[in-house]
Amino acid sequence: MKDKRQRLLKWEFALVVFLVIELFLFGQLSPSFLNLNNLLYSMNDFVYIALAAIPVTFVIITGGIDVSIGAMMGLSSIVLGVLWMNGINIWIALLITLLVAALAGCLNGILIAWTNVQPLVVTLGGMFVFTGIALVLSGGSSVSGYEGISGFPYEFVELANGQLFGIPNPIWILGLSILFFSFLLHFTRYGRNVFLVGINAKAARYSGINTRLIIMSTYMLAGFGGGLSGVILTSYFSSARSDLGSEAVLPIITAVVLGGTSIFGGKGSIMGTAIASIVIGMTQYGLQMVNMTSQQTNIVVGTMLILAVLLRNTHWQKLSKSLSIMKK
Amino acid sequence: MPFLIRVLKARELSIVLFLVGFFILVGSINKEFITGDTIALLIKSSAILLVMAIGQSFVLLTANIDVSVGSTMGLSAAVAGILLTDGYSLWIIVPAVLLTGVIVGLLNGLGVAYGKVPSIIMTLGMLGIIRGTMLLFTEGMWIEDIPNFYKELSGAAFLGISLPVWIAIVLVVVCHLYMTRTKSGRCFYAVGDNEEGAVSVGLPVKRVLVLSFIFSSVSASIAALLFVMNIGFVPNQTGSGMELQVIAAAVLGGVSLTGGIGSVIGAGLGAVFFTVISNSLVYLKIPAYYNDAISGFLLLAIVVGDSQFQTYIRNQSTRINRNRQKGDSKGERQTTTIT
């Protein structure tokens, strides 16, 4: 176990080194890139990815996957908008929205934990259902999907656009999220149980862990994360749309896997996911600075994902093997 | 009873029953739904999804997944569109488009089989790469002015069945025969059922894996040819989100994501059913924005219901097996047909 943790730490370290090199290179390419204010505000563009990816880490550690997270973001955005449009106080609407998102995740989780259907299929169905409900809600309240609901109060828009002590609010929210979920995953009994389920679900069950409850709860956390991310995105654009986040699934899963979480479960860390999200975000931001469109940066993000896993698969194993031979 | 169990276990049957039931249900509300014209139109519009579901089922059978098919279709459609507007002949265009699929599939397959990258990661990464490449290639523009002769191909009919549907039918039949009647076709089942077992009996597992990804991507390229034919232009978001529909269709048709179970016929039926659901809403006078919610709900209901049902059936057959072990001669006769 200790060996595993050390290797993970190394991976996070490698990510940080990569991030520094990246910042340096982009700084050389365009001098305005390294302006501290620019860097901080550019984080706004991808904080939502990190906010959603952090709780998804729990799901992937149990060996599951959640492709409905993008749909969850659109759903929570439109729920928030519709509630507010019907005269509910924005902060109460926000709480209800987070609750709805957690419940939606809970629904995924119940189906996955209590039936034999694979997580991918359930969350795929969930994705259609959530996108569908979001469309029905926006269609039913005669908001066309692409126009959205706008005109939110100033305080709510400030949630993602304002700043506190000179640091943009979304970064504070991200920091809190990292602290909370890191604590939950790495320092509590619950977190240990999540790892155990991912390493060997049968063994976990025989040792008296309620594996179904653990699995269900991870999807609930993921739903909550999707909801939070949707809310922040709504505030950022100050408009609620049912298609927000529809393209977010690729970067979210990329962030989790790039952060060192094994897609087969049992391995991963919140810090890794958070750093990887920043790496992806900075890559996208830097490439945009050198005039690439956000869709074209897909090529880079996709390549990074494949290369990272390739590297971890071959290089690291060989390295540890040759090290153990040297020790002998 | 054992025969009944075997029939009930076949997912193709349950999907056909669902399909018939759905047709009767919608038809009883709106008679126009069960006219020959409507059905022909439905089948024609399901051809694209059907072709892709066939290819995907090869990958799913080997216990892998290919989420890059939507973007592969987009890139292939862009290749087809650009070559068509440049006035090349079909003898160059069709091979070029299919080659696009082969290259993508080869990369996916090599990564999964030799690089040992989990297929969902490999194809998710490729999704980004291919979509980006398509946008670089088309400069983010829509491709219009596809020559008329090509668009008219989609209306060409033989024996009252249009060309896209013929292509889909031929592919289903050929793939089904290949999968069930040939030794190399059955390899896909063997690899998906037990990869280590397949290695130890000397099957070329890695080659089978690469081949399955090539089939999947090439089917996306064929679908792209049909798409350009049907739609007549290539929007820059062609194929996005298709991958999830394709997987949903295959799963609806009884192809298991854990490998080894399913058939191309099932996947094809799943694709038809998926299209029927979303097109039937018009006949039920339900606004189109209910589409996703209803498809998703039905997908979940069918998959969850089926899994509960299969568990029940399995418990029934293990009970019979247990009876046999007890020496119950009646039970023995019953189980021989299952095992």
Side-chain angles (χ1 to χ4, degrees), chain B:
Chain B
M1 183 70 178
F3 173 72
L4 195 69
I5 288 176
R6 231 169 69 176
V7 171
L8 287 174
K9 270 185 175 171
R11 184 63 170 278
E12 289 86 356
L13 184 85
S14 53
I15 195 82
V16 168
L17 287 179
F18 266 121
L19 205 54
V20 171
F22 195 76
F23 262 101
I24 293 174
L25 182 79
V26 181
S28 66
I29 296 169
N30 187 339
K31 286 210 173 58
E32 275 173 53
F33 191 65
I34 34 178
T35 58
D37 280 357
T38 317
I39 294 172
L41 200 73
L42 279 176
I43 292 176
K44 192 180 165 190
S45 57
S46 64
I48 292 174
L49 196 60
L50 208 162
V51 168
M52 285 166 89
I54 296 170
Q56 182 76 236
S57 54
F58 281 92
V59 175
L60 294 179
L61 275 179
T62 66
N64 282 296
I65 194 163
D66 185 352
V67 296
S68 69
V69 284
S71 54
T72 307
M73 184 195 145
L75 180 65
S76 306
V79 170
I82 286 182
L83 291 180
L84 275 166
T85 45
D86 285 355
Y88 285 94
S89 86
L90 279 183
W91 298 109
I92 295 173
I93 294 168
V94 174
V97 172
L98 296 185
L99 187 68
T100 315
V102 171
I103 293 169
V104 171
L106 190 66
L107 287 175
N108 277 334
L110 290 178
V112 172
Y114 295 93
K116 304 234 176 326
V117 181
S119 56
I120 184 154
I121 299 299
M122 186 67 208
T123 53
L124 201 60
M126 282 300 276
L127 185 156
I129 296 174
I130 303 164
R131 182 144 297 278
T133 310
M134 177 201 173
L135 290 164
L136 275 181
F137 183 59
T138 58
E139 291 162 349
M141 311 273 255
W142 290 31
I143 302 166
E144 279 150 353
D145 11 280
I146 302 287
N148 269 328
F149 83 91
Y150 191 71
K151 286 191 260 185
E152 277 156 11
L153 278 180
S154 88
F158 176 65
L159 294 177
I161 297 173
S162 62
L163 180 67
V165 179
W166 270 118
I167 293 175
I169 292 173
V170 169
L171 276 176
V172 170
V173 171
V174 168
C175 290
H176 180 73
L177 290 178
Y178 171 64
M179 249 187 198
T180 52
R181 300 268 186 270
T182 68
K183 204 179 159 195
S184 66
R186 277 193 294 253
C187 280
F188 293 94
Y189 286 95
V191 170
D193 193 49
N194 183 346
E195 192 173 328
E196 275 160 29
V199 173
S200 45
V201 295
L203 294 182
V205 171
K206 288 189 171 163
R207 239 185 303 155
V208 170
L209 284 178
V210 174
L211 206 59
S212 71
F213 281 98
I214 292 181
F215 282 158
S216 173
S217 299
V218 168
S219 77
S221 297
I222 298 174
L225 287 171
L226 298 182
F227 178 87
V228 180
M229 206 182 273
N230 277 351
I231 309 292
F233 58 90
V234 185
N236 62 7
Q237 75 274 21
T238 304
S240 41
M242 268 305 260
E243 55 278 346
L244 297 171
Q245 286 182 32
V246 171
I247 293 161
V251 168
L252 260 181
V255 182
S256 161
L257 289 185
T258 45
I261 301 167
S263 70
V264 283
I265 294 190
L269 284 170
V272 173
F273 190 43
F274 205 78
T275 320
V276 168
I277 294 170
S278 50
N279 284 329
S280 61
L281 299 187
V282 184
Y283 295 90
L284 291 173
K285 300 203 169 61
I286 296 174
Y289 51 75
Y290 277 88
N291 236 335
D292 280 345
I294 292 174
S295 318
F297 181 75
L298 278 176
L299 174 68
L300 278 181
I302 291 172
V303 171
V304 170
D306 192 69
S307 111
Q308 298 306 93
F309 184 67
Q310 298 293 347
T311 316
Y312 171 77
I313 296 281
R314 208 177 308 131
N315 290 341
Q316 290 291 315
S317 39
T318 40
R319 219 177 58 199
I320 295 169
N321 270 327
R322 222 174 282 141
N323 284 344
R324 185 180 65 167
Q325 276 160 8
K326 277 182 198 158
D328 185 336
S329 62
K330 214 169 140 196
E332 190 173 54
R333 230 179 297 136
Q334 280 178 344
T335 40
T336 39
T337 39
I338 307 176
T339 45

Side-chain angles (χ1 to χ4, degrees), chain A residues 298-313:
Chain A
N298 276 342
I299 301 182
V300 181
V301 176
T303 316
M304 261 163 58
L305 176 66
I306 295 173
L307 279 184
V309 177
L310 263 176
L311 272 176
R312 269 220 317 272
N313 273 356

Side-chain angles (χ1 to χ4, degrees), chain A residues 199-240:
Chain A
I199 292 165
N200 189 336
K202 261 186 193 156
R205 191 160 58 242
Y206 289 136
S207 62
I209 295 169
N210 191 340
T211 50
R212 284 179 165 166
L213 206 63
I214 297 281
I215 289 175
M216 194 271 280
S217 64
T218 59
Y219 288 92
M220 208 164 141
L221 288 178
F224 174 81
L228 186 65
S229 173
V231 167
I232 296 298
L233 214 53
T234 309
S235 159
Y236 184 50
F237 292 126
S238 77
S239 120

Side-chain angles (χ1 to χ4, degrees), chain A residues 23 33-43 282 285:
Chain A
L23 288 180
F33 178 82
L34 283 182
N35 181 321
L36 192 65
N37 251 338
N38 271 355
L39 274 185
L40 279 179
Y41 275 95
S42 74
M43 300 256 308
M282 281 300 159
Y285 176 60

